[in-house]
Amino acid sequence: MIGVVSYLTFFLTMAGIMAIITLGLNLQWGYTGLFNGGVVAFFGAGAYGTMILGGPAEPGQFGGFGLPYLVALGGGVLLAAALAWVVGLLTLRLRHDYLAISTFGVAVALESLARNSQWLTGGARGMRGFPRPFEAVIESNFLFGVVFLLIVLAVLALVWWGIERLVHSPFGRALRAIREDETAARALGKSPTRLRLWSLVIGAAIMGAGGGLYVSYTAFVSPQDLLPILTFQVWAMLIVGGAGNNRGAVLGAVLIWGAWTLSGFALTRLVPDSMQLDAGSIQYILIGTLIVSMLLWRPEGLLPERISNPRNTTVAKAAHTSNKE
Amino acid sequence: MIQSLLDGILTGAIISLGAIGLTLIMHMLRFANFAYSELLAIGAYAALVFDRLFSTLVPVLDEAFAPLTLTGALALSMVIAMVLTGLSAVVIDWLVFRRIRQKADPLSMVFASFGVALIIRNVIVLIFGHHAQLYSQEIARATILSFDPLILIKPDQVFVLVLALVLMLALHLVLTRTTFGFALRAVAENPALAQVAGVRLTTVIAAVWIIAGSLSAAAGTLYALTNQLNPMIGPVFLLPVFAATIVGGIGSVYGAVLGGFIVGIASGLALLVLPSGYAPAMPFLIILAVLLVRPQGLFGEDQR
Amino acid sequence: MKRHILGLAGASALAIGLQTGAALAQECSVNVGTLYPTSVDWGRPIAETALWVGEMINEAGGVDGCDVNMILRDDQNDGRVGVDAARALVDIDQVQLLIGTVSSGITIPILTSVTAPAGVMQMSCCSSSTRLTEIAASGEARGLWFRTFATADVQAAVAAMLARDAGIESITVVYKNDDWGQDIGRMAAAAFEAVGIEVHASIALNDAQPSYRAEATQALRDQPGALYLALYPTEGISFVREWLGLGGTSVMIGANSLRSDDFRTTVGLANLGDFIGTDTSSPRVPSAEAFVDAYAAHFGSAPSGPGLANSFDAAAIALLAYHAAGRDATGTEIAAQVPRVTDPDGEAIPATVEGFAQAMAILSEGGSVSYQGATGAVTFDANGNVSAPAVSWVFDDSGMAEQRYISLEEVSGFMASIN
C-alpha cells in the first residue's frame, strides 16, 4: 500500500513539473499566441543552469559552484529567461510559423551545445551529483518524495497565482488584445513586440523552473533530456487541456502524462510477447491519433478559454483574412 | 574545399527537391507542415516495395545501368512511388488537414501535422522495422576527377543532380507555360480573386499536394539510393528542408531550389571550421542568419 | 478522449488483476524488475536474453525456492519514461533488484533518484559512461551498482595494441557522438598516440544526419593509413559505405558495437577483409561457447547484436546473488552477495541450467562460486565495474570469428605501459 502511495507521490511530482512547464507555454501560446516550438530549450536551460550553479565541481569543467538550492534554481530560471530574451529579440518579428521553426532550431542548437561542450556541460556524459534539496536531513526515501512533491506543488501554485494575476492585469489584457488583433492594439498605443517579448521571457522562466525542479529530483542531466519529444508532450498537454485556461493546462498535463506512463505500463502487460518490440510504436501512434482527433473534434481543448465568444470561430476567420492581406 | 563545395551541391539537390513541395504547401495553405518530410519516407519505402517486387518478377530489370547502381526496377519503382506518394499526400490532406482547415485556426494545423508525422513514422516502423535497408548492396565507387587537390565524385550523385534539375525544369515549365500553372499561381496570390475568376480551389490544392508528394518521393528515393533507408528519414530531413524553404522565401520555387543548395553547401563547408559534432545545428544557424538579414527569405515577398 | 482514458485505465486494471492472479497460483515468487528499451531495435534482444535467464533460473529451482517473476518495462530510450517505469517497479511491484538499462543517460537518473535512495540493487548490461564510475566512487550509489559492460578503456587500449601489431602508422578516429562514443574516442586517440601511431583527427558522427559524406570527406583529406570506428551499425553502415565509395582505406579497426550482421551484410564481406574488431572478454573458456550454443538453440540464431552476452551475465549474476541472499533479502543484502557469485577462488560453474542448480546448491550451503559466464569469469571492482580479457575478431563467411585472445594479464600490462 505504501508502495502505491509512494508511486503516486512520484507520479504527481512528475505531472506537477510537466504542469508547470505547460503553464509557461499557456502564457506564451494561450494568452499571447506565441508559437514556441522549442519548449525543451528553455527546460534545458533551466536544468543545466541549476546544475552548473548548484552541482559539485568536476575536474576540467566549468561550474560546480555548489550554491544553495534556491540560488541555483533561481539562476536556472534566469538563464532560461535570458535565453528567451535573446531568442525573442532575434525572432519575435517573424511570422508565427517562422517563429516555430526558429525556436525548434534553438532547441536543436542547445542540444548540440550541451552534447559537445565538454568544458561546460560535460558533453554527452551529462552532469551528475546535484545535492537533492533536504535529502541530507530526511532519513526516509518516502518522506523525501513527499517533501519534494510539496516543493513542486508550491512552485506550481506560485506560478498559477502569478499567471492569473498577470493575465487579469492591464498587461494580460494587452497581451490578449495583440493576440486577437494586433493592428487594433497597435492603434491603441500598445507595443506588440515589447509585450510579446515579455510574455516569451516570463513563459520561458517558468519552463526553466520546471527544468530546475526536474534536475534537482534526478540529480543528473544529460543531452538525452533535451530531445524534442518533451516539446511535443507539453504541446499535447496544452492542446488537450485547453489553451488559454490554466485549469485546462494543468488538467492536460496530468492526463497526458498519465496516459503516457499508463499506456507504457498497460502495453507491456497486454501486448503479446511477440509484439513487445512494437509496443513503443503503437504507443506513439495512439498519442498521434489522440492529438489529431482532439484537433478534429474538440480543437478548443477539454477546458476551453473562458471568454464571452470562443476564439476559434471569429478569430480563426480574422486570422485567415489577415493572413491574406 | 572544392570537394566540400561539390559534396554540398550534391546533398543540396536532394534537399531542394524536398523543399519545392514544402514551399508551395506553406504558401498555399499557410501552415508549417511538420509532417511534410515524412512524405520522403513514404516515397522511399514505396519505391523499396516495388523495387523488390519488380526485381523478383522480372529479373532483367535487376541489372544496374553501369556506372550507376540504379536498376531498371528501381527507376520504374520510383515513378510508381511518386504517383503513390502524391496520392497519399492528397488522402492525408483530405482526412486531416482539410477538416481542420475548415473549423480551426491555421495554427491548429501545425500542431495536427506533429501528430500526423508521429503516426506516419511509427506505422512505417511497424511495417518495415527500425533497421537500415538498401536498394542495392553494391557500394557506389567514386571517380577521381583530380588528384591535387583530390576531387572525387560518384556517378550516382551526378545522376541525382541531373534528375533533380530535370524535375525542377519540368515543374518550371508547368508553372509558367500551362493554364494549370497560371491557376496555381493565381490561387497562391489571391485565393478569393482566383475563385471569382473560376479557379476551383480544391482542385488546385489537390494538385499542389500531388506535386509536393511526388517530388518528395523522388527526393526520398534518390536519398535512399545514395545513402540508406530507415524510418528516421522524416525527422532527419525536417530541419534541412524547412531551412531551405525559409532561406529561399516561402512561396518561391526558385528560392527553394537555391535554398536547398545553400543549406547543402553551407553544411558541407561548415565542417571546415566547426567540429562535426555541431552538424545538426547548421541548418538552424543558416535559417537564423538569413532571417536576420531578410525576414521574408531571399526570394520571398514581404507578407507582413 | 474520456473513453480513451477509461479504456487505458480498464486495461491496466485488468493487467494488474491478471498479474496477481498469476502470483497466487505459485507457492511463492520474487519480483525482479527488468527495464530495457524494448521498443528500440537493438534493445529487444537484450531484454529477451535477460528474460531467458529468468526462465533458466526458474528451471534450476528458482531464487531461494521461489519462482522469479521478471517484470519487463520499456524505457523508450527516454529519461523521464525510464525513471517513471523504474519508480513503478520499485514502488508498486516492490522489486529489490532492478536489471537495466542500456543508455547511461537513463541508467544514471534511475540510479541516483530511484534505486540508490530506495536501497534497490541495480545491475546494467550495457551502460558504459565513466560518470557511473564517478557516482560509484563518490558513494552516491551506496554499493548497489554493478555493470557487466567493461568500461571503454579496455577496448580502446586493445585497439591500439592491434593497430601497433598490424603496423599501422597513422589513423583517424571516427566516433558516435554520445557518451560512450566520446569516452572511447578520446581514450582510443590517447592510446594510439601512446604507442606511436599518428592520430590525424577525431571526427564525431551525430545521430540521424542526412549524409555522412562531409565527415567522410573530412577524414579522407588526411589520407590516414587506417580508420578507428567507435560507431553503432546505423551510422557505421552509412559512413563506411560512403568512405569506401570515396576510395578510403579498407584497413579499419572497430569497436564491439559493430559486431552485427546488419553491418556485415550491408557493407559487404568483400569490403571487410581488412577489418579487425575488438571486444572485451568472450574468453576461450567452454562457458562462452556454451552461451553461444545455448543462445542459438533457444532463439534460433547465433547472438550477434551488441550487449547480449553482457545482458545474460548481468541477469545471471544478479539472480544468483539474490538466491544467495535469500527470498526476503533487501537490495543491499543482494549486492553484498555478489562477491560470493564471482569469487575467483570459488567453484567454477558454467552458465547452464545445471550450472545454475549446482551454483545455487553451493551458495545455499554458504560456499562461494566462480560464475563462468558468457563474458567469462566476471569480477567486479569496488565501483561495480568489470575488468575483462579482450579478443580481436574478424568478419567471415559464417558471421564473425574470434581471432586472437588477449588475456586479462596482457591487457592490464599493456594498459599500464601506455598510461
Side-chain angles (χ1 to χ4, degrees):
Chain A
M1 193 56 217
I2 186 126
V4 176
V5 175
S6 168
Y7 176 73
L8 278 181
T9 311
F10 168 76
F11 173 82
L12 288 177
T13 305
M14 280 295 142
I17 291 176
M18 298 309 288
I20 291 170
I21 304 168
T22 312
L23 283 178
L25 184 65
N26 193 25
L27 178 66
Q28 294 176 345
W29 166 245
Y31 293 116
T32 325
L34 294 177
F35 198 123
N36 181 354
V39 173
V40 69
F42 305 109
F43 169 87
Y48 269 101
T50 306
M51 178 59 107
I52 289 171
L53 293 175
E58 294 279 349
Q61 205 176 303
F62 175 81
F65 298 113
L67 295 176
Y69 181 55
L70 281 181
V71 179
L73 188 61
V77 168
L78 277 183
L79 186 67
L83 177 69
W85 189 69
V86 175
V87 170
L89 283 186
L90 292 178
T91 59
L92 273 184
R93 57 204 181 104
L94 303 177
R95 266 175 48 168
H96 58 76
D97 39 7
Y98 283 23
L99 180 65
I101 295 283
S102 305
T103 41
F104 183 84
V106 168
V108 173
L110 195 77
E111 199 260 358
S112 246
L113 187 73
R115 191 172 285 279
N116 294 293
S117 313
Q118 308 220 357
W119 62 275
L120 180 65
T121 61
R125 300 195 306 152
M127 300 175 77
R128 61 155 208 98
F130 190 87
R132 307 206 289 171
F134 306 114
E135 194 181 27
V137 293
I138 302 174
E139 281 289 304
S140 140
N141 185 38
F142 174 72
L143 207 59
F144 169 78
V146 175
V147 170
F148 198 89
L149 174 62
L150 291 178
I151 297 177
V152 168
L153 290 181
V155 175
L156 180 63
L158 187 72
V159 168
W160 176 300
W161 176 78
I163 291 182
E164 288 287 334
R165 280 287 300 262
L166 201 63
V167 297
H168 292 112
S169 69
F171 175 78
R173 283 193 290 277
L175 283 186
R176 275 201 298 271
I178 60 163
R179 184 192 72 190
E180 303 289 328
D181 189 339
E182 183 174 336
T183 321
R186 207 190 287 268
L188 292 172
K190 306 287 179 197
S191 161
T193 315
R194 210 171 52 89
L195 286 168
R196 283 208 188 104
L197 185 59
W198 271 111
S199 169
L200 185 75
V201 167
I202 298 172
I206 295 170
M207 293 167 184
L213 286 172
Y214 179 70
V215 78
S216 47
Y217 187 84
T218 57
F220 176 77
V221 62
S222 79
Q224 205 160 0
D225 296 317
L226 301 188
L227 300 181
I229 190 75
L230 179 92
T231 302
F232 178 79
Q233 279 172 349
V234 174
W235 270 100
M237 289 163 183
L238 188 61
I239 297 283
V240 167
N245 182 328
N246 281 340
R247 287 188 308 140
V250 173
L251 177 72
V254 175
L255 283 183
I256 291 287
W257 183 242
W260 203 283
T261 53
L262 205 64
S263 61
F265 188 76
L267 282 171
T268 48
R269 280 168 164 75
L270 289 185
V271 173
D273 276 355
S274 57
M275 283 181 67
Q276 279 294 340
L277 177 58
D278 300 330
S281 300
I282 295 171
Q283 191 181 0
Y284 280 121
I285 292 171
L286 284 179
I287 287 162
T289 313
L290 176 67
I291 303 296
V292 172
S293 324
M294 200 67 201
L295 287 165
L296 280 176
W297 286 292
R298 202 175 159 84
E300 69 277 17
L302 292 177
L303 299 177
E305 187 173 3
R306 283 170 299 171
I307 292 183
S308 45
N309 62 359
R311 57 186 275 258
N312 53 348
T313 50
T314 47
V315 180
K317 281 186 199 125
H320 224 73
T321 38
S322 74
N323 260 333
K324 286 168 191 163
E325 66 199 0
Chain B
M1 176 73 194
I2 298 173
Q3 180 75 56
S4 299
L5 206 63
L6 210 57
D7 290 348
I9 292 173
L10 298 172
T11 316
I14 294 175
I15 300 176
S16 293
L17 266 188
I20 293 174
L22 182 66
T23 204
L24 289 175
I25 293 289
M26 272 178 85
H27 188 52
M28 202 79 115
L29 304 178
R30 290 168 209 282
F31 80 106
N33 185 352
F34 280 82
Y36 181 83
S37 57
E38 303 299 331
L39 293 176
L40 274 79
I42 296 182
Y45 275 98
L48 178 74
V49 172
F50 285 98
D51 180 44
R52 294 276 191 272
L53 197 69
F54 288 141
S55 22
T56 329
L57 293 182
V58 197
V60 183
L61 286 176
D62 207 19
E63 292 291 311
F65 303 124
L68 306 178
T69 57
L70 179 83
T71 62
L74 184 61
L76 208 58
S77 309
M78 187 172 114
V79 175
I80 297 176
M82 286 173 69
V83 175
L84 284 180
T85 313
L87 292 178
S88 355
V90 174
V91 171
I92 294 168
D93 181 59
W94 186 76
L95 280 177
V96 180
F97 296 128
R98 187 182 59 110
R99 292 160 193 250
I100 295 177
R101 206 154 52 228
Q102 284 162 356
K103 50 169 30 169
D105 54 296
L107 297 186
S108 299
M109 308 253 290
V110 181
F111 198 64
S113 72
F114 272 112
V116 171
L118 216 52
I119 297 173
I120 297 177
R121 193 179 312 152
N122 286 287
V123 167
I124 290 177
V125 172
L126 279 187
I127 301 174
F128 296 97
H130 286 276
H131 61 282
Q133 310 205 32
L134 297 164
Y135 295 135
S136 157
Q137 299 289 335
E138 217 46 42
I139 291 183
R141 301 280 169 181
T143 313
I144 298 172
L145 289 188
S146 131
F147 279 100
D148 191 33
L150 186 68
I151 299 175
L152 300 159
I153 199 157
K154 290 185 184 175
D156 272 348
Q157 290 176 306
V158 178
F159 165 75
V160 167
L161 180 65
V162 171
L163 187 63
L165 292 176
V166 168
L167 287 172
M168 292 170 200
L169 185 69
L171 182 69
H172 168 74
L173 292 177
V174 168
L175 288 182
T176 52
R177 301 286 160 82
T178 63
T179 330
F180 164 73
F182 285 122
L184 195 145
R185 285 191 295 160
V187 172
E189 291 292 326
N190 188 333
L193 193 62
Q195 274 179 298
V196 172
V199 176
R200 283 194 53 186
L201 199 55
T202 45
T203 321
V204 174
I205 289 179
V208 170
W209 277 115
I210 288 179
I211 293 175
S214 51
L215 290 182
S216 304
T221 313
L222 294 177
Y223 168 73
L225 175 73
T226 47
N227 287 276
Q228 53 162 304
L229 183 53
N230 67 54
M232 297 310 276
I233 286 190
V236 162
F237 270 96
L238 185 66
L239 214 48
V241 168
F242 264 105
T245 306
I246 291 177
V247 166
I250 291 178
S252 164
V253 170
Y254 313 105
V257 171
L258 188 67
F261 286 116
I262 290 177
V263 172
I265 292 169
S267 305
L269 290 182
L271 287 194
L272 297 176
V273 288
L274 270 180
S276 57
Y278 288 97
M282 261 327 284
F284 160 69
L285 294 177
I286 299 167
I287 296 181
L288 209 59
V290 169
L291 288 183
L292 286 179
V293 186
R294 268 183 78 85
Q296 70 274 37
L298 294 178
F299 286 83
E301 315 125 47
D302 195 343
Q303 298 201 346
R304 286 180 303 160
Chain C
M1 175 66 214
K2 254 181 204 142
R3 210 178 314 154
H4 189 81
I5 293 288
L6 282 178
L8 281 175
S12 59
L14 185 67
I16 293 166
L18 281 177
Q19 210 183 313
T20 38
L24 283 177
Q26 282 128 25
E27 287 277 318
C28 68
S29 75
V30 292
N31 284 348
V32 172
T34 316
L35 183 65
Y36 282 124
T38 55
S39 53
V40 180
D41 51 352
W42 41 261
R44 168 97 187 274
I46 291 176
E48 283 177 339
T49 304
L51 296 187
W52 172 44
V53 175
E55 289 169 29
M56 291 170 77
I57 291 281
N58 282 340
E59 258 180 78
V63 163
D64 193 17
C66 293
D67 251 9
V68 176
N69 180 21
M70 302 280 273
I71 304 171
L72 178 65
R73 288 289 304 260
D74 179 13
D75 66 41
Q76 296 176 15
N77 219 14
D78 176 331
R80 281 165 302 125
V81 173
V83 171
D84 178 84
R87 254 334 259 252
L89 287 168
V90 167
D91 282 343
I92 295 178
D93 299 311
Q94 300 277 323
V95 303
Q96 289 297 328
L97 169 64
L98 182 78
I99 299 171
T101 179
V102 177
S103 171
S104 300
I106 304 167
T107 302
I108 297 176
I110 289 174
L111 178 64
T112 53
S113 75
V114 183
T115 50
V120 170
M121 170 173 153
Q122 186 177 355
M123 168 89 88
S124 160
C125 66
C126 318
S127 291
S128 61
S129 174
T130 44
R131 280 279 187 249
L132 281 158
T133 307
E134 294 166 17
I135 289 172
S138 74
E140 212 182 331
R142 303 186 189 181
L144 294 160
W145 162 249
F146 300 89
R147 55 174 152 180
T148 50
F149 189 99
T151 41
D153 51 356
V154 172
Q155 278 203 62
V158 168
M161 184 196 262
L162 294 171
R164 183 197 60 188
D165 296 353
I168 291 167
E169 285 169 359
S170 75
I171 202 161
T172 288
V173 174
V174 184
Y175 63 93
K176 182 180 174 70
N177 199 16
D178 67 359
D179 50 358
W180 169 79
Q182 286 183 359
D183 274 347
I184 196 170
R186 179 173 39 81
M187 289 190 273
F192 288 130
E193 275 174 351
V195 297
I197 297 172
E198 185 190 354
V199 177
H200 290 296
S202 287
I203 299 172
L205 295 193
N206 291 285
D207 278 356
Q209 288 303 290
S211 152
Y212 296 109
R213 181 164 176 132
E215 285 86 349
T217 306
Q218 191 191 355
L220 202 63
R221 210 170 295 140
D222 303 315
Q223 293 289 335
L227 279 189
Y228 177 68
L229 305 171
L231 303 172
Y232 282 21
T234 307
E235 65 273 5
I237 291 165
S238 269
F239 179 83
V240 171
R241 283 176 63 92
E242 197 74 75
W243 169 257
L244 294 173
L246 289 174
T249 173
S250 62
V251 179
M252 291 177 273
I253 297 179
N256 62 347
S257 50
L258 287 177
R259 200 169 177 170
S260 105
D261 275 331
D262 245 11
F263 184 75
R264 186 177 74 99
T265 51
T266 46
V267 174
L269 192 55
N271 300 312
L272 290 169
D274 302 323
F275 183 100
I276 314 171
T278 64
D279 203 342
T280 43
S281 62
S282 289
R284 293 298 162 87
V285 293
S287 69
E289 284 146 37
F291 166 72
V292 174
D293 294 343
Y295 187 96
H298 188 79
F299 292 107
S301 65
S304 78
L308 298 182
N310 307 76
S311 172
F312 186 94
D313 286 352
I317 294 169
L319 290 175
L320 287 177
Y322 206 154
H323 170 84
R327 64 182 76 163
D328 299 320
T330 64
T332 316
E333 288 161 1
I334 303 169
Q337 296 300 326
V338 170
R340 275 178 66 206
V341 178
T342 57
D343 179 5
D345 302 325
E347 170 93 22
I349 58 121
T352 57
V353 174
E354 297 73 41
F356 289 151
Q358 187 196 350
M360 291 194 293
I362 297 172
L363 290 169
S364 296
E365 289 160 14
S368 64
V369 299
S370 171
Y371 167 74
Q372 308 283 314
T375 62
V378 181
T379 55
F380 296 95
D381 67 11
N383 295 328
N385 289 332
V386 291
S387 40
V391 72
S392 73
W393 52 273
V394 293
F395 289 105
D396 69 5
D397 299 327
S398 60
M400 287 137 261
E402 295 187 350
Q403 206 179 30
R404 174 174 159 199
Y405 174 60
I406 305 155
S407 69
L408 194 50
E409 294 73 36
E410 205 178 337
V411 174
S412 321
F414 180 75
M415 284 174 72
S417 76
I418 60 173
N419 281 330

